[in-house]
């Protein structure tokens, strides 16, 4: 069976690329396609990519630095990838990958991380963050996003099977595309360290320092908790601003490698997570290290954190709500078990993901019936029936 795996684009290794890695692990002989690939050789090896077949966007100037500016070209670029020789196509899509063209004798399984957030429910946030809420440029961007929504909806009919990375995204797929989606949770790299009594002295927040991650609300919450220490790991355009408003009890670690981040998780009293994520791999990683999670009661966190067993929730990404939840955690901290957190995180192991992906493909193969033309009765059969 000839297999193609299609990913939106490759320029950093994030959560979607970890999913891609496990899909490649299931089908190591598959050909890998993407709009463009700017991964370093080291990152490409991490994902398990030998070679990538890319679109014409790979050759355009400035794509590496400003790839989101090329959003209007992405639908036509993904449609130019020639996949006609493959029996099975698996797309890993958070933008346009599910829109690849396949024929009636091909099976297309789309793993959808989310419908294109810039074009749908985050359109107004996207326009505000880019300073394009008014004027001619704003009108042009709104028109482009409108066209993207039309294309996104039309191409939702292409995949034979749609898989969502959470029930939260499954509901979004139903609302946007009008289609049912099977849920397969993303793979999470579980901790391999032994549980030992740890000197847990700090709280931890970790993500890209961008507005929608709500790190500012966490930093401001710890202004109200001067006797509690917070470490913020990550980098991004908000870094300077966050440092300017932080109190002396907040430390910024900047970008940290995976091993260092996992060590920070393992030594944290709790991991604080204020973003509304589609799934949220990092909170599960924290639980894998035996660390409870204090999370926003929205999005994927509702599926990965068990209230009062592996963490607590706050109802809004506001400093007062977050501070109150931290205080509530401190009062009940001894009731949280590192072993309970680790056991819960084991539900999201890579082996489980591979098993469910392979099972989904096998079910699709069994259900697949090659397209046949209409069956017309021969003239002699019609005559016999009339008699």
């Amino acid at each position: 069976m000839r297999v193609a795996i299609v990913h939106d684009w490759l320029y950093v290794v994030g959560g979607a690329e970890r999913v891609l890695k496990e899909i490649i692990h299931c089908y190591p002989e598959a050909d890998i396609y993407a709009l463009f690939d700017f991964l370093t050789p080291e990152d490409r090896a991490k994902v398990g990519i030998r070679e990538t077949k890319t679109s014409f966007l790979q050759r355009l100037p400035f794509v590496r630095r400003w790839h989101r500016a090329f959003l209007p070209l992405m639908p036509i670029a993904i449609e130019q990838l020639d996949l006609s020789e493959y029996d099975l196509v698996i797309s890993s899509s958070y933008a346009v990958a599910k829109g690849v063209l396949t024929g009636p004798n091909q099976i297309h399984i789309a793993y959808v991380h989310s419908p294109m957030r810039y074009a749908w429910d985050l359109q107004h946030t996207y326009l505000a963050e880019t300073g394009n809420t008014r004027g001619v440029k704003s009108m042009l961007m709104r028109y482009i996003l409108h066209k993207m929504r039309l294309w996104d909806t039309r191409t939702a009919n292409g995949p034979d099977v749609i898989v969502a990375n959470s029930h939260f995204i499954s509901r979004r797929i139903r609302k946007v595309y009008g289609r049912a989606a099977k849920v397969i949770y993303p793979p999470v790299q579980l901790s391999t360290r032994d549980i030992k009594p740890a000197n847990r002295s700090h709280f931890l927040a970790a993500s890209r320092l961008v507005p929608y991650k709500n790190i500012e609300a966490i930093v401001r919450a710890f202004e109200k908790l001067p006797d509690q220490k917070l470490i913020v790991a990550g980098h991004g355009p908000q870094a300077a601003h966050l440092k300017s408003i932080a109190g002396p009890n907040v430390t910024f670690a900047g970008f940290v490698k995976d091993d260092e981040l996992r060590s920070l998780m393992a030594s944290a009293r709790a991991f604080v997570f204020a973003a509304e994520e589609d799934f949220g791999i990092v909170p599960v990683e924290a639980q894998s290290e035996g660390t409870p999670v204090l999370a926003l009661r929205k999005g994927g966190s509702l599926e990965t954190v068990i209230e009062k067993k592996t963490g607590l929730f706050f109802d809004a990404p506001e400093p007062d709500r977050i501070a109150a939840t931290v205080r509530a955690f401190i009062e009940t901290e001894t009731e949280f078990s590192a072993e309970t957190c680790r056991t819960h995180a084991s539900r999201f192991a890579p082996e489980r993901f591979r098993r469910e992906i392979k099972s989904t493909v096998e079910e699709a193969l069994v259900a697949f019936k090659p397209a046949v033309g209409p069956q017309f009765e021969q003239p002699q059969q019609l005559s016999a029936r009339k008699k």
Side-chain angles (χ1 to χ4, degrees):
M1 184 171 63
R2 296 163 297 179
V3 182
I5 300 172
V6 185
H7 195 65
D8 285 307
W9 54 72
L10 295 161
Y11 76 107
V12 295
V13 176
E17 287 67 40
R18 297 180 193 185
V19 171
L20 174 64
K21 174 184 177 180
E22 298 304 329
I23 297 174
I24 293 173
H25 188 279
C26 294
Y27 302 96
E29 300 304 318
D31 291 329
I32 313 301
Y33 286 80
L35 290 176
F36 50 84
D37 178 1
F38 296 123
L39 291 181
T40 64
E42 293 78 16
D43 283 343
R44 196 173 286 111
K46 284 181 185 177
V47 180
I49 298 172
R50 301 184 309 275
E51 180 184 1
T52 313
K53 300 183 180 183
T54 57
S55 74
F56 66 82
L57 292 180
Q58 180 80 27
R59 300 183 295 277
L60 296 185
F62 310 116
V63 171
R64 184 189 292 262
R65 175 174 291 186
W66 294 304
H67 67 272
R68 285 188 175 85
F70 291 83
L71 186 66
L73 294 178
M74 290 181 182
I76 191 171
I78 204 74
E79 291 175 347
Q80 303 317 303
L81 299 178
D82 183 3
L83 306 177
S84 57
E85 65 181 272
Y86 299 98
D87 304 298
L88 170 66
V89 175
I90 303 174
S91 59
S92 166
S93 180
Y94 50 88
V96 298
K98 71 162 181 47
V100 291
L101 301 180
T102 55
N105 292 322
Q106 296 173 288
I107 296 177
H108 177 190
I109 296 175
Y111 189 94
V112 177
H113 303 273
S114 175
M116 197 185 312
R117 287 173 291 183
Y118 303 122
W120 292 100
D121 49 324
L122 290 186
Q123 172 188 283
H124 302 294
T125 301
Y126 174 65
L127 292 172
E129 289 179 358
T130 56
N132 290 297
T133 57
R134 298 174 180 271
V136 175
K137 186 176 179 182
S138 174
M139 292 300 296
L140 177 60
M141 291 183 68
R142 291 171 191 272
Y143 177 74
I144 290 171
L145 293 173
H146 169 70
K147 294 300 249 183
M148 293 294 292
R149 285 191 290 273
L150 294 177
W151 178 87
D152 197 30
T153 304
R154 178 183 63 77
T155 57
N157 294 315
D160 298 283
V161 178
I162 294 182
V163 179
N165 68 355
S166 67
H167 290 282
F168 174 61
I169 291 303
S170 177
R171 292 192 297 272
R172 184 181 282 171
I173 288 170
R174 169 73 75 178
K175 187 178 185 71
V176 171
Y177 300 150
R179 290 196 60 178
K182 179 178 181 178
V183 175
I184 299 180
Y185 289 121
V188 177
Q189 192 61 47
L190 302 180
S191 175
T192 57
R193 75 180 82 234
D194 294 329
I195 293 183
K196 297 178 181 178
N199 180 22
R200 295 175 180 262
S201 59
H202 64 270
F203 290 85
L204 176 67
S207 78
R208 288 194 67 236
L209 304 184
V210 293
Y212 81 91
K213 296 289 188 178
N214 294 322
I215 297 297
E216 180 171 347
I218 299 173
V219 171
R220 291 192 183 279
F222 276 80
E223 288 180 1
K224 306 173 187 299
L225 303 162
D227 55 337
Q228 304 299 328
K229 181 181 178 182
L230 172 68
I231 296 177
V232 178
H235 65 111
Q238 273 201 311
H241 169 67
L242 293 173
K243 290 176 182 177
S244 72
I245 65 170
N249 60 329
V250 179
T251 301
F252 290 86
F255 172 78
V256 295
K257 293 183 178 180
D258 289 344
D259 290 345
E260 185 179 351
L261 178 59
R262 299 300 284 258
S263 294
L264 287 172
M265 289 176 176
S267 59
R269 296 169 68 181
F271 183 80
V272 188
F273 189 72
E276 181 181 344
E277 290 284 10
D278 305 329
F279 172 74
I281 286 178
V282 178
V284 181
E285 291 178 335
Q287 291 172 78
S288 170
E289 298 293 348
T291 301
V293 175
L294 311 181
L296 178 65
R297 196 189 298 273
K298 286 185 178 181
S301 293
L302 289 169
E303 301 173 50
T304 60
V305 179
I306 304 175
E307 191 164 24
K308 297 182 180 180
K309 289 188 177 181
T310 70
L312 296 175
F313 290 109
F314 45 90
D315 294 322
E318 299 169 357
D320 288 340
R321 300 286 187 94
I322 297 171
T325 303
V326 173
R327 293 190 190 100
F329 170 77
I330 292 170
E331 291 176 1
T332 59
E333 190 168 358
T334 57
E335 298 177 13
F336 291 90
S337 160
E339 188 59 50
T340 298
C341 292
R342 287 171 64 109
T343 300
H344 175 60
S346 66
R347 295 179 54 219
F348 306 97
E351 294 78 13
R352 182 270 321 159
F353 175 84
R354 296 171 198 159
R355 184 173 62 251
E356 292 182 4
I357 283 291
K358 288 181 178 179
S359 173
T360 299
V361 170
E362 288 167 4
E363 289 171 5
L365 290 171
V366 170
F368 177 69
K369 298 290 189 296
V372 296
Q375 302 299 304
F376 294 103
E377 293 181 295
Q378 297 300 319
Q380 58 268 33
Q381 292 175 311
L382 291 172
S383 300
R385 180 179 296 181
K386 288 178 181 178
K387 292 178 182 178

